[in-house]
Amino acid sequence: MAPLPIRQIAYFVPDVRAAARAHSAAFGSGPYYVADHIALTHAVHRGVERELDHSSAYGQWGEVMIEFCQQNNPGPSAFHDIYPEGSGRTGLHHVALFVDNLGAAIADFAARGAPLALDARMTDGFRYVFVDMVEACGHMLELYEPTENLQGFYEQVRRKAGDFSEGVVHDIAFG
């Protein structure tokens, strides 16, 4: 596999807005764009279809996007695989990589002993996965193909970096 640069670092937290404000105050990152209750048409966790209601905040920190994730519903998930429900634990959850062919990347990681922890699709058809690299790296990998919409979102967050004229946190919706 060719080297894949990290596009995003993501943390699991109890409150994405509070985490975004705290990170911005400590490191000057942001502003952050918050998507509440991200709509999924399906979420398959470890081979089982499950509900996954989550919210995320996205902001820029230097050359990398930062994401804060919170799970809004109880139950098993790729988030709770690392940070068990009710434990109060938070921290690094995943790093995100762009891949040219998602199916081939999933197969390649599986062949190297990194199973699929989550296969999810949003209502607009966008697909992303979490590959379990916890044993090897201490975190999950999020993989997705660099669609025009996704690259546009990354560029929008990058362009707005450091512009706090409208505040630190802004609400957005994903379709």
Side-chain angles (χ1 to χ4, degrees):
M1 177 176 282
L4 300 171
I6 294 172
R7 303 297 179 152
Q8 175 194 86
I9 300 171
Y11 299 90
F12 181 72
V13 298
D15 182 327
V16 297
R17 284 176 173 78
R21 286 186 182 97
H23 199 274
S24 183
F27 302 108
S29 62
Y32 284 86
Y33 299 88
V34 176
D36 278 317
H37 305 283
I38 296 171
L40 301 175
T41 58
H42 84 267
V44 178
H45 170 248
R46 308 268 180 199
V48 177
E49 182 86 25
R50 301 187 196 277
E51 178 185 0
L52 178 60
D53 178 1
H54 70 293
S55 299
S56 291
Y58 308 89
Q60 195 71 19
W61 186 24
E63 295 300 312
V64 68
M65 178 185 279
I66 297 295
E67 178 183 8
F68 296 105
C69 310
Q70 74 184 48
Q71 184 168 331
N72 302 315
N73 66 299
S77 72
F79 296 121
H80 290 159
D81 286 351
I82 299 176
Y83 302 104
E85 186 173 355
S87 70
R89 294 181 45 227
T90 65
L92 176 65
H93 182 265
H94 66 267
V95 298
L97 310 173
F98 289 172
V99 296
D100 290 332
N101 181 310
L102 189 55
I106 292 167
D108 183 54
F109 279 106
R112 293 191 276 156
L116 197 58
L118 173 70
D119 188 342
R121 190 172 304 271
M122 296 171 59
T123 57
D124 65 0
F126 179 74
R127 181 181 179 205
Y128 66 94
V129 301
F130 288 150
V131 174
D132 186 344
M133 294 288 293
V134 174
E135 191 170 312
C137 299
H139 56 76
M140 301 273 181
L141 289 181
E142 182 178 34
L143 306 176
Y144 35 64
E145 294 176 1
T147 65
E148 187 175 321
N149 284 345
L150 178 66
Q151 289 177 306
F153 178 67
Y154 268 77
E155 182 55 32
Q156 173 191 350
V157 171
R158 179 182 293 281
R159 272 195 325 270
K160 291 292 198 172
D163 179 1
F164 298 103
S165 61
E166 297 178 13
V168 173
V169 174
H170 309 274
D171 290 331
I172 59 169
F174 286 145

